[in-house]
Amino acid sequence: MIKFDAELYFEAELKPYAPVVERRGPLIDIYVKLAAGDGAAWPADLTEPGALVVCDPDGQPIHYVVLEEGCDSEYGFTDREKQQLMRYMERERLLERADG
């Protein structure tokens, strides 16, 4: 993760869990809570990290948001972390939960 307007760079093995999938008009929102893998620790100002992935109607991610206690934070995901989230979404077949 990269903190906006700062030199703090933290890249973790993300362990997403507790997904919530919601359809919002034509968009699909996927919320997950995050744990750090490999015994890593989050920066002190990320106590309850999560992610919001906004997907277009075809299921393609168009925006990734780092959440802190359910709200936008000052962090952004690295490309590698975005790939980890995509793999999790595919493995758990989360986009299928938005159908119906």
Side-chain angles (χ1 to χ4, degrees):
M1 292 177 196
I2 303 168
K3 190 169 186 176
F4 299 125
D5 297 329
E7 301 213 5
L8 180 60
Y9 177 87
F10 170 82
E11 190 164 64
E13 286 296 322
L14 302 178
K15 302 293 183 187
Y17 66 98
V20 174
V21 181
E22 297 177 345
R23 189 169 286 281
R24 181 173 42 96
L27 301 176
I28 302 166
D29 293 339
I30 299 175
Y31 299 89
V32 293
K33 294 182 180 183
L34 295 174
D38 300 329
W42 299 108
D45 55 348
L46 279 177
T47 58
E48 292 183 36
L52 164 62
V53 181
V54 180
C55 299
D56 68 14
D58 296 323
Q60 295 301 310
I62 55 175
H63 193 57
Y64 294 83
V65 181
V66 178
L67 302 175
E68 167 55 33
E69 295 181 352
C71 299
D72 293 0
S73 75
E74 297 181 54
Y75 287 86
F77 288 109
T78 65
D79 288 341
R80 184 171 164 267
E81 291 167 333
K82 291 175 185 178
Q83 291 171 355
Q84 292 176 56
L85 290 168
M86 276 302 303
R87 284 193 303 271
Y88 172 77
M89 290 168 43
E90 291 169 359
R91 183 176 61 245
E92 298 297 318
R93 303 170 74 146
L94 296 181
L95 291 169
E96 293 177 17
R97 296 185 191 184
D99 296 336

